[in-house]
Amino acid sequence: MNTLNHFDTPQLELLHRGKVRDSYRAPSGERLIVVTDRLSAFDSVLETPVAHKGAVLNGLAAFWFDKTQHIIPNHVIALLDPNVTLAKEAEPIRVEMVVRNYLTGSMLRGYQKGQRTFSGVTVPDGLTKHQQFPEPIVTPTTKEESDREITPENLVSEGWVSAELYERMRVKSLELFNFASQWMADRGIILVDTKYEFGLLDGELILIDEIHTPDSSRFWSAEDYARNPEAVEQMDKEYVRQWLIANKKDGQYPRALTPEVSAEATRRYLDIYERITGAPLPTGDETAVGGDIQARLVSNLVRAGIMKDA
């Protein structure tokens, strides 16, 4: 299948190769972010790429960065290709601001084991699976080799951020979450939880990385949730996580997806893109018509003056 599992070129300096995104230094000095079709789950990158995933993530992030400029500036300069963003070089803040509005995921698993305090936020006894909180809560984590829960006070005492900077990040995170929640609610989608990453550019707080994508967020169908909250349909990467959990053997998750699971993951990524933006992914039929993602990407970077036609 025509996917973008890996991109490399001797023409550009590689800054960082992440689980999904590869960052390069553009000739102008800015950061070039290539969003691949790689899929990570449980701190591991799977061997099977998911078609169109990179374009969905890149396109949705661009959509939301544009929609939320009135709340906070962001790092986007331009989309040079469906899978590539040219971004301002900011100093990243090594904290993930996780906003949750429902008891689910890792928080639910901790809650079922008796945990009641998460990153300094205490929730009451008696909550049920997928129950909505009275209001969204912020549960920050550190960005390390393995992310860990941490209280705002410890973020400050350990030197991750100042108290004033954390408060600005907290306020902006809730503004972003509430804005997107209303947007999605109008389209039959529940924004369950998400994470935001921030950076500093010339001393100004800006939004970086990605925003409200199926990899950084959890989405539910509002109709399904109303029908049966505990069995609500997952509209994000959780589908793949649950398949991996169900097929775990000898304590190990599968390293690859079956063709059927990969195809269903693609369908879900394309569906959530169209539901949120109101239009199908522009390159959604690329595989069917035989398009070559690598060739298209290089052609677009040559056209933008980022690469030379070699």
Side-chain angles (χ1 to χ4, degrees):
M1 182 175 285
N2 183 22
T3 55
L4 184 66
N5 194 35
H6 180 80
F7 176 75
D8 200 9
T9 173
Q11 293 190 37
L12 299 173
E13 176 193 357
L14 176 66
L15 298 176
H16 175 71
R17 193 178 302 284
K19 293 174 182 174
V20 174
R21 289 166 177 77
D22 297 335
S23 294
Y24 295 86
R25 176 71 66 214
S28 56
E30 284 94 359
R31 181 171 290 247
L32 194 75
I33 303 171
V34 179
V35 189
T36 72
D37 294 326
R38 298 193 296 266
L39 191 149
S40 70
F42 302 114
D43 289 329
S44 179
V45 177
L46 301 181
E47 296 172 359
T48 313
V50 174
H52 305 297
K53 175 179 178 287
V56 166
L57 297 185
N58 200 46
L60 269 181
F63 173 85
W64 284 114
F65 279 129
D66 180 64
K67 292 289 182 188
T68 58
Q69 289 185 82
H70 66 288
I71 297 175
I72 184 172
N74 59 70
H75 69 165
V76 174
I77 297 172
L79 259 68
L80 304 183
D81 176 87
N83 289 72
V84 181
T85 293
L86 183 65
K88 301 167 189 170
E89 188 66 75
E91 177 190 349
I93 298 169
R94 302 295 181 185
V95 176
E96 285 192 355
M97 299 296 285
V98 182
V99 183
R100 307 174 185 270
N101 203 18
Y102 294 80
L103 181 62
T104 191
S106 61
M107 188 174 182
L108 172 64
R109 292 189 284 273
Y111 190 88
Q112 290 172 332
K113 294 176 182 177
Q115 186 178 351
R116 292 295 180 268
T117 300
F118 303 83
S119 299
V121 179
T122 300
V123 294
D125 292 329
L127 298 181
T128 57
K129 180 181 179 181
H130 295 171
Q131 183 172 338
Q132 185 176 11
F133 300 127
E135 58 185 15
I137 61 175
V138 180
T139 56
T141 65
T142 58
K143 278 188 66 64
E144 300 175 88
E145 190 68 30
S146 183
D147 298 348
R148 62 185 170 98
E149 291 182 10
I150 188 168
T151 66
E153 292 77 15
N154 285 343
L155 279 173
V156 174
S157 65
E158 291 182 19
W160 296 89
V161 289
S162 67
E164 186 270 340
L165 181 56
Y166 175 80
E167 180 60 14
R168 286 161 58 198
M169 292 164 59
R170 186 190 70 82
V171 169
K172 290 302 178 183
S173 295
L174 290 172
E175 286 183 33
L176 291 165
F177 189 87
N178 290 331
F179 174 82
S181 293
Q182 186 58 59
W183 178 279
M184 294 194 201
D186 293 342
R187 290 151 182 81
I189 304 166
I190 294 174
L191 177 57
V192 182
D193 51 42
T194 193
K195 60 97 173 174
Y196 301 107
E197 294 188 34
F198 296 91
L200 294 173
L201 182 63
D202 299 325
E204 180 183 22
L205 185 69
I206 69 169
L207 194 62
I208 64 172
D209 194 58
E210 62 182 324
I211 173 176
H212 304 149
T213 72
D215 275 20
S216 68
S217 313
R218 201 184 310 270
F219 306 120
W220 290 337
S221 160
E223 183 180 353
D224 274 13
Y225 184 80
R227 187 184 306 118
N228 187 346
E230 295 199 7
V232 62
E233 178 189 3
Q234 306 283 350
M235 302 169 65
D236 50 72
K237 196 170 69 171
E238 187 65 19
Y239 162 75
V240 175
R241 290 194 195 98
Q242 291 302 319
W243 183 84
L244 293 171
I245 290 171
N247 289 274
K248 193 175 184 179
K249 291 182 180 178
D250 301 323
Q252 299 294 316
Y253 296 109
R255 297 289 303 125
L257 304 177
T258 65
E260 295 77 16
V261 171
S262 178
E264 175 61 14
T266 289
R267 185 194 70 78
R268 287 172 180 246
Y269 275 96
L270 291 174
D271 178 63
I272 195 64
Y273 179 94
E274 185 165 356
R275 288 201 194 197
I276 290 174
T277 67
L281 183 73
T283 56
D285 63 347
E286 194 168 44
T287 302
V289 300
D292 187 317
I293 295 177
Q294 290 268 5
R296 183 208 69 208
L297 192 157
V298 170
S299 175
N300 283 333
L301 293 186
V302 169
R303 188 177 299 112
I306 301 294
M307 292 178 61
K308 295 177 181 175
D309 191 353

